[in-house]
Amino acid sequence: MVQWQLAIDGADAGRQALADLLEARGAQIEGDDGAARLVASFTAEPDLIIIDAVGAWLSNLGLRDAQVHTRRDEGAPWEPGFRAIFEPFVVSPRLGITPAWRPKPGGDQGRRWIILDPTQAFGGGAHPTTRAALGLIDRYFAERGDAPTRVLDVGSGSGVLAIAAALLGAEAVVGVELDPVACRDSVANAALSGVQDRFEAHAGSMERVEGRFDLVVANVYGSTLTALAPALRAACDPDLIISGMMASKADAVLASYQALTLVERVERDGWTTAWLRA
């Protein structure tokens, strides 16, 4: 029985690649190769990692103008983006993520909620690399207490890590993101989360920002972490959290950061996240 469906419009150029990727995640692809809309049906309950996965695929395939829709039942109206499947979830002792169209969950009054309206921007918060990074950011601020903190988020995507830092007490957070659409979305998400006065986003590379930061975070591909190692080491004063490394390749990536001390290493679902200190 179909549990939910995903539709992508305007992705003709990458249709076969998307179909192959979705089938690898258990989807059944409907329609033929000539259909304008790609429809994927899933018999398992929604896995929120798909939000990050689809966003990354569309970005990597150069399909940023493609439109995503979801629905829970065949025959039900399609809902824009991931509205049909995105539900609130907890990511660390003090942090949770909730979509903008759902009320904040009650209960723990000390929990800070990152409020998102995800479109195609990479970063719905459910991917193991994001969850692990959020956990380390939470522990970093628990250790730091009320000390003034400036944070740089490299590859900030939809702003999840940057917003988390602001919610946990950072006085200023700067996001740097190559994708201008994701950069725009991060600003909107910061406003939804109530931290727009402490967050600024720059579309481009690390050259867009100057100075050093108490904490630098980067959740990007392992190859990018290796290429950016000199710049990330120079920017952190003294803490750096890096994520996005496949566990099988993490040691090779971390070799580029040997000048830093390893504070904590997290292995999660085949991915590695590291907290380093100069």
Side-chain angles (χ1 to χ4, degrees):
M1 180 183 294
V2 172
Q3 298 294 325
W4 68 284
Q5 291 181 304
L6 167 74
I8 304 176
D9 296 317
D12 295 357
R15 179 187 172 86
Q16 189 57 54
L18 287 168
D20 292 344
L21 289 164
L22 288 164
E23 285 182 332
R25 288 188 172 268
Q28 178 179 343
I29 305 303
E30 298 185 7
D32 55 37
D33 291 344
R37 166 172 279 188
L38 174 64
V39 177
S41 298
F42 296 83
T43 57
E45 282 295 314
D47 180 351
L48 293 183
I49 293 175
I50 198 71
I51 296 177
D52 287 348
V54 171
W57 298 339
L58 293 175
S59 178
N60 293 339
L61 291 169
L63 300 172
R64 294 186 178 92
D65 292 331
Q67 298 297 312
V68 174
H69 295 80
T70 50
R71 64 184 178 186
R72 290 299 303 252
D73 299 306
E74 289 184 277
W78 289 99
E79 297 188 51
F82 299 96
R83 284 177 176 260
I85 66 168
F86 192 5
E87 300 288 343
F89 59 99
V90 172
V91 293
S92 74
R94 295 185 293 170
L95 292 169
I97 296 177
T98 186
W101 55 90
R102 297 274 193 269
K104 283 186 185 179
D108 188 351
Q109 298 301 313
R111 189 164 316 276
R112 284 80 158 175
W113 288 98
I114 302 164
I115 302 175
L116 301 178
D117 189 355
T119 55
Q120 273 73 269
F122 179 71
H127 195 274
T129 61
T130 310
R131 286 177 177 257
L134 287 167
L136 290 181
I137 291 171
D138 194 339
R139 287 201 280 281
Y140 168 85
F141 279 96
E143 175 186 293
R144 189 168 176 85
D146 295 330
T149 306
R150 296 180 69 243
V151 177
L152 172 64
D153 183 0
V154 179
S156 51
S158 59
V160 171
L161 302 185
I163 293 168
L167 288 171
L168 290 169
E171 64 178 359
V173 185
V174 177
V176 180
E177 170 57 50
L178 291 175
D179 185 341
V181 175
C183 192
R184 180 199 65 203
D185 290 346
S186 71
V187 173
N189 289 329
L192 288 170
S193 302
V195 296
Q196 67 273 20
D197 59 329
R198 284 175 284 144
F199 174 71
E200 61 181 74
H202 299 276
S205 61
M206 280 190 68
E207 286 74 20
R208 295 296 305 271
V209 296
E210 297 180 351
R212 306 186 73 194
F213 295 79
D214 302 294
L215 173 64
V216 177
V217 297
N219 182 18
V220 294
Y221 294 121
S223 57
T224 304
L225 289 172
T226 300
L228 290 178
L232 291 173
R233 291 197 310 265
C236 70
D237 184 22
D239 287 282
L240 171 65
I241 294 172
I242 55 174
S243 196
M245 300 171 278
M246 294 179 64
S248 60
K249 299 180 179 180
D251 288 341
V253 175
L254 289 171
S256 301
Y257 296 86
Q258 288 182 339
L260 305 182
T261 299
L262 179 64
V263 177
E264 187 171 349
R265 177 169 173 161
V266 178
E267 308 287 345
R268 186 165 188 168
D269 298 335
W271 299 90
T272 299
T273 301
W275 177 0
L276 306 165
R277 181 170 290 160

